Amino acid sequence: MAVHVKCRNVIYLDGPQRFPVPDELVGWQTVWPAYAPVDYTSKKVTSMPPWADDERKLREFKFNEIEGLVNRTSFEGQYAIDAHARPINPKGRTGICGRGLLGRFGPNHAADPIVTRFLRDAAGVIVRNPEGHPMLECVLIKRQDTGQWALPGGMVEAGDTVSLTLKKEFGEEAMNSIEASEEKRTEIMASLDTLFAHGTVIYKGYVDDPRNTDNSWMETVAMNFHDANGTVFGAIQLHAGDDAGEVMWVTLDPAMQLYASHADFIARVIDLHWGKCPAMPKEAAPKQCLVVQFTWV
Ligand code: RP5
């Protein structure tokens, strides 16, 4: 991602108008004395839910480190801290300082499951596009906050691993495990243990999320779980839950518009399955083609 765009939207989701930042002034390396970002942290954050930092301890946080159960390291490398002890967004200006709707100062870590299968006709034959490439379907949700289609991802909660978050979020948003009985929830999580046993890392790093600010930003690990035979994920029952308004299998298109950076992840998945970007060890992969075969142990 060259320059972040979606986190320079004019009106912040539940807040004020951002200070306008043109493309050429996004990078901090360009001195801009007139830059006056609006300081905004949502009441949802200052009311101090368990997922948010206590601002009174700002100078005590161990930025760029794993601090107890909270991972304050960034996939983008060491980030700088400003004169007010706040982390500085490594991708540049956003027009808002403070935390906006995000709980953590610095990186807020998420995980995004990309569950795919080939599109098949009524006879079970894989449908191909005019170039002969197999068409793909992916489980997407419609977010209630922005109304946009998105991957069923979510925040890595303090103490949780990425692998657990991938399953938990898919269970909550695409299978409504939150409202299921204890017994059903255990069943859902057990089925996801099997379904999510083998995956491919598609992306790790900064997300151009509309909630990002100059001091708080989203990062994610996006993983593809592909059902090549169309037998594994067919058995799951999709049911929107938590912050998802709708859930469905959607036919993928490289030009589709999705929440945050999700369309970029989808483009990588399409390339992967169309043989344009074969999965290979990270060290051997070309930079623009970073995918790693992965099996949980
Ligand atoms: C995006 O926000 C991530 O890619 C992930 O999909 C999502 C996590 O936030 P919530 O869905 O939990 O709000 O940046």
Side-chain angles (χ1 to χ4, degrees), residues 140-289:
L140 296 179
I141 56 134
K142 193 168 191 184
R143 292 181 65 100
Q144 289 189 344
D145 56 355
T146 63
Q148 288 169 296
W149 286 91
L151 294 166
M155 303 289 188
V156 179
E157 288 172 24
D160 280 357
T161 59
V162 167
S163 63
L164 176 64
T165 306
L166 288 162
K167 288 180 268 191
K168 208 157 103 174
E169 289 298 326
F170 190 85
E172 289 176 4
E173 297 191 350
M175 298 173 79
N176 199 15
S177 62
I178 289 183
E179 286 177 22
S181 63
E182 190 64 42
E183 194 186 344
K184 181 76 183 162
R185 190 159 42 242
T186 308
E187 196 185 296
I188 289 174
M189 284 308 278
S191 69
L192 290 177
D193 280 344
T194 313
L195 300 176
F196 281 27
H198 304 284
T200 303
V201 178
I202 293 295
Y203 177 80
K204 278 183 184 184
Y206 185 85
V207 182
D208 184 11
D209 189 290
R211 297 168 291 186
N212 292 351
T213 71
D214 288 359
N215 309 117
S216 296
W217 61 91
M218 291 297 308
E219 297 196 9
T220 198
V221 176
M223 285 194 69
N224 181 209
F225 300 93
H226 181 63
D227 179 9
N229 302 322
T231 50
V232 185
F233 283 109
I236 59 169
Q237 284 188 330
L238 297 180
H239 187 179
D242 197 22
D243 48 12
E246 288 179 51
V247 60
M248 63 168 82
W249 285 99
V250 176
T251 303
L252 298 184
D253 165 358
M256 69 203 306
Q257 301 282 314
L258 296 174
Y259 180 77
S261 306
H262 294 184
D264 295 345
F265 308 157
I266 291 294
R268 286 173 185 232
V269 168
I270 293 174
D271 280 353
L272 173 68
H273 294 290
W274 288 1
K276 293 184 183 171
C277 183
M280 60 180 82
K282 187 176 171 182
E283 324 58 88
K287 275 204 181 95
Q288 72 277 17
C289 203

Side-chain angles (χ1 to χ4, degrees), residues 95-149:
I96 281 200
C97 58
R99 279 174 291 169
L101 278 162
L102 299 177
R104 304 277 174 216
F105 284 99
N108 287 251
H109 288 280
D112 285 297
I114 310 174
V115 169
T116 55
R117 67 183 181 191
F118 292 121
L119 175 67
R120 291 170 192 270
D121 63 17
V125 177
I126 294 174
V127 179
R128 293 181 180 272
N129 70 5
E131 288 80 45
H133 292 304
M135 305 284 287
L136 288 155
E137 290 185 303
C138 176
V139 175
L140 296 179
I141 56 134
K142 193 168 191 184
R143 292 181 65 100
Q144 289 189 344
D145 56 355
T146 63
Q148 288 169 296
W149 286 91

